[in-house]
Amino acid sequence: MITVVLPAHDEERSVAETVGEIRGVLEGAGMDGFEVLVVDDGSTDATAELAHRAGARVLRHPANAGYGRSLKDGLLAAAHDTVVICDADGTYSAESIPELVAEFEKGFDMVVGARSGYRDSIFKAPLRKLLRWLVEYTAGCKVPDVNSGLRVFSRATVVPYFKTLCDTFSFTTSLTLAYLMTGRFVAYRPVPYRARKGETKVRLLRDSLRTLQYIVQAIVYYNPLKIFILFSGACVAFAGLGFMASALLGLRVGFLLGVGGLLVALVVFSLGLLADLLRQILTK
């Protein structure tokens, strides 16, 4: 038995079709006892009414509280421990859900639908690559899809992480980092991805900066030495450039900048060791 949680804000163009598709797929797969829970996040259109008519249980926010907050409230209200989260905009195919659930039942803590056929715009691609690199650097492993909105996990497992998971667009990114950096088993399976119906709620610069903020916070919270090593490495690179300028151009100031860069790198690395020691003390 599973609960499918769909956060929705002004999704009247797609929510009924999405709910109907999910119900049809789960019934066809013989997954009895499921529920579809739509969290209406302060919609100003007919999202809640259409979701209810389509057969979903509806939880309503009186005002828009954010994607992550909607998922948290949906998880707390879910009737079953095994939870699937999915978007209500028609981008994910419900046909992928039984496969992801079957993979989850093999013993993974979370199974993520890695989007295939997904193409970023010319503006989004560099930012997404940077954020993905930071996540992979932090987690120490490959992450095929950092912020996929289709994934399966246990409610009992995820609830203790709530205090470190953000209430906005970056919920899934912070969830990925939380699981990977605490030794959870995470699997990725390719899923098709379709064009959304209606207008996107994502704001490129604002949401990218928020995601970057939560990635840095996750590094500091779970493994602070990582971020200090990154800054220390940047200082060493700066020092190397200074020494090169001194050697090739005979600039004395380049030598001084190189020495200064090495000293700063040493200080930053030492601070990282202290931060990591403090983390170990506080988490005992």
Side-chain angles (χ1 to χ4, degrees):
M1 294 187 292
I2 68 171
T3 295
V4 182
V5 178
L6 304 173
H9 175 64
D10 291 342
E11 299 288 1
E12 64 179 3
R13 294 180 57 181
S14 59
V15 67
E17 182 179 344
T18 301
V19 171
E21 181 184 1
I22 291 172
R23 290 179 58 85
V25 168
L26 297 185
E27 289 172 356
M31 303 176 72
D32 299 327
F34 67 86
E35 70 163 346
V36 180
L37 173 60
V38 172
V39 183
D40 176 28
D41 190 26
S43 296
T44 56
D45 60 11
T47 294
E49 181 182 353
L50 293 173
H52 178 71
R53 288 182 184 177
R57 179 160 69 98
V58 179
L59 178 66
R60 303 195 69 173
H61 287 164
N64 183 251
Y67 173 78
R69 172 65 183 277
S70 298
L71 285 172
K72 289 179 181 179
D73 290 344
L75 289 167
L76 293 175
H80 307 299
D81 183 65
T82 300
V83 177
V84 178
I85 63 170
C86 184
D87 292 346
D89 56 10
T91 50
Y92 294 99
S93 171
E95 297 288 342
S96 303
I97 295 178
E99 178 187 351
L100 297 181
V101 172
E103 194 70 17
F104 172 74
E105 291 174 346
K106 294 179 181 179
F108 289 101
D109 293 299
M110 180 165 65
V111 179
V112 181
R115 292 166 289 184
S116 59
Y118 183 64
R119 294 291 181 271
D120 281 323
S121 69
I122 190 173
F123 301 106
K124 286 184 179 180
L127 286 172
R128 192 176 295 275
K129 286 181 179 179
L130 171 62
L131 296 176
R132 178 177 171 180
W133 178 84
L134 280 173
V135 169
E136 292 181 339
Y137 167 74
T138 305
C141 63
K142 290 292 183 181
V143 182
D145 196 331
V146 173
N147 62 337
S148 170
L150 177 61
R151 51 186 71 199
V152 188
F153 46 79
S154 164
R155 179 182 61 181
T157 302
V158 75
V159 168
Y161 290 98
F162 272 13
K163 66 178 181 179
T164 64
L165 303 180
C166 72
D167 288 341
T168 56
F169 170 75
S170 303
F171 175 89
T172 48
T173 302
S174 58
L175 177 61
T176 299
L177 279 169
Y179 270 46
L180 290 175
M181 297 189 73
T182 54
R184 297 286 181 183
F185 293 102
V186 180
Y188 295 87
R189 294 294 176 267
V191 298
Y193 192 74
R194 305 177 296 207
R196 69 162 286 128
K197 297 181 179 179
E199 182 181 354
T200 181
K201 311 300 188 304
V202 177
R203 296 295 176 262
L204 180 60
L205 182 60
R206 180 198 66 186
D207 291 323
S208 295
L209 290 176
R210 284 180 177 175
T211 301
L212 179 61
Q213 171 193 339
Y214 281 105
I215 290 174
V216 173
Q217 286 179 342
I219 299 174
V220 173
Y221 185 84
Y222 292 109
N223 191 355
L225 188 56
K226 284 265 188 177
I227 196 72
F228 284 95
I229 288 176
L230 188 63
F231 291 146
S232 181
C235 292
V236 170
F238 176 79
L241 291 176
F243 288 131
M244 287 178 60
S246 176
L248 297 176
L249 304 176
L251 297 176
R252 186 164 179 264
V253 68
F255 177 78
L256 295 176
L257 288 175
V259 173
L262 289 179
L263 291 175
V264 172
L266 179 61
V267 171
V268 171
F269 182 71
S270 300
L271 289 174
L273 293 176
L274 290 175
D276 191 63
L277 179 61
L278 180 62
R279 177 192 62 83
Q280 294 181 46
I281 293 172
L282 293 176
T283 54
K284 282 185 177 179

